[in-house]
Amino acid sequence: MLPPLFAAYVAPARVYPQLWRLALGMALIAGVYFLWIAVLGGLLWLATGGGAGLNLRLQTIGQGADPWSLLLLLSTFLGMALGAWAAARLLHRRGWRSLFGRPAVVLRDFALGVAVMLVVGGGVSLLFLPFVPALEMATPLPVWLAFLPLALLGIALQTGAEELVFRGYLQQQLAARFATPLGWMVLPSLLFGLAHFAPAEMGENAWLVVATTGLFGLIAADLTARTGALGLAWGLHFTNNCLAILVVSAMGGLDGLALFQLPEGAAHALVLRPLLLADMALMGVVWAACRLWLRRR
């Protein structure tokens, strides 16, 4: 039996719960996502005139290596969000609100997620500072502040789109067919982790990155089930990505607006591995804090 709040959240998905609709919906999401990327690529081609300059610019955008490239990369997730809306509307006859949950709950729980990640996550992170190499300033403060509002909007879009697809559309539709958490919690989290598989960038830590993101997927899926909305998972996801993208970059990419970064060479696999393991421990503490708060609420 599903948790009561989650059962109400899943109810709109029960109208058209067929698995073929879900499979077609995921294909539609991917199609809209890549179509939007193609549109952005076309606009960039017109702006640069094509040629070698375009290829270099696309590579820079793919790495989020400077402020404008990072913002363009984050903007590609609009296609993912539009794809989730199109799949829900065209294949299941439901709209945005059914994917997010009740707006008041989403806003309240989003704020809770931000607060828990900043207070609990930030406090735990301080314990690991003695084991982190000395940080270097990466982005001048005036530049960082100038781009900060757009960057926050971009990360809200990126994390919101991922939550819509994995904890909204996919988790809801699977829960409409399967009562066991193995179906509606584990499978979306596994796919979420695999979506972050990047051996070219992460090298021998690629599967550890999958495990780390997969663990976050499980935590986000559980909290979505306990609250019946995306707000708490989205708030945690948003704050985590803000810290990783805008404050300290440790992954060797998406560092175009990082305020600090590890010194050159410190992001080596042997250094990154314990940081990823520490991040998994941190997320476990944050999850426990959220569950404790929800139990008392």
Side-chain angles (χ1 to χ4, degrees):
M1 181 178 295
L2 301 179
L5 292 176
F6 188 50
Y9 178 59
V10 171
R14 297 188 185 279
V15 180
Y16 295 99
Q18 295 86 354
L19 291 179
W20 68 265
R21 292 178 184 270
L22 174 58
L24 191 57
M26 293 301 292
L28 179 60
I29 291 171
V32 174
Y33 176 53
F34 288 113
L35 177 61
W36 175 242
I37 290 176
V39 170
L40 291 178
L43 294 175
L44 190 61
W45 180 83
L46 291 175
T48 62
L54 176 61
N55 293 331
L56 181 61
R57 189 60 178 159
L58 289 175
Q59 184 179 5
T60 304
I61 292 172
Q63 296 172 348
D66 61 60
W68 285 114
S69 295
L70 178 63
L71 293 177
L72 282 172
L73 179 61
L74 293 172
S75 74
T76 63
F77 285 86
L78 177 60
M80 184 180 291
L82 292 175
W85 169 80
R89 173 62 67 185
L90 298 177
L91 293 166
H92 307 277
R93 303 295 188 271
R94 57 196 188 94
W96 281 108
R97 182 171 175 174
S98 69
L99 293 174
F100 280 104
R102 290 183 296 153
V105 175
V106 172
L107 290 175
R108 179 196 66 189
D109 288 350
F110 181 89
L112 173 62
V114 172
V116 170
M117 182 62 78
L118 288 177
V119 175
V120 179
V124 174
S125 297
L126 291 176
L127 299 176
F128 294 107
L129 279 182
F131 306 100
V132 177
L135 300 176
E136 297 178 348
M137 196 77 176
T139 303
L141 186 59
V143 175
W144 189 81
L145 290 173
F147 279 94
L148 183 60
L150 288 176
L152 292 174
L153 287 174
I155 295 173
L157 170 63
Q158 176 251 320
T159 53
E162 290 185 344
E163 292 305 317
L164 276 176
V165 172
F166 291 99
R167 259 69 68 182
Y169 179 70
L170 184 57
Q171 184 171 338
Q172 277 184 322
Q173 290 300 143
L174 288 172
R177 288 300 305 268
F178 304 106
T180 172
L182 288 175
W184 55 262
M185 190 165 83
V186 175
L187 181 57
S189 303
L190 178 62
L191 294 175
F192 181 67
L194 290 173
H196 292 80
F197 181 62
E201 292 80 15
M202 295 295 102
E204 59 189 80
N205 283 319
W207 286 109
L208 184 56
V209 172
V210 170
T212 303
T213 52
L215 174 63
F216 176 83
L218 284 172
I219 290 171
D222 176 71
L223 295 177
T224 298
R226 301 299 163 185
T227 59
L230 291 184
L232 185 50
W234 188 12
L236 294 177
H237 197 169
F238 169 77
T239 311
N240 180 74
N241 282 23
C242 283
L243 294 173
I245 294 174
L246 298 180
V247 181
V248 179
S249 173
M251 304 292 280
L254 300 179
D255 55 356
L257 270 174
L259 193 57
F260 301 100
Q261 64 183 7
L262 294 175
E264 187 176 354
H268 186 271
L270 295 178
V271 175
L272 186 58
R273 188 173 301 132
L275 292 178
L276 290 170
L277 294 173
D279 185 59
M280 296 174 76
L282 168 64
M283 290 310 307
V285 174
V286 168
W287 170 77
C290 289
R291 287 295 299 268
L292 180 62
W293 181 271
L294 293 175
R295 191 174 302 163
R296 297 179 57 183
R297 190 165 69 181

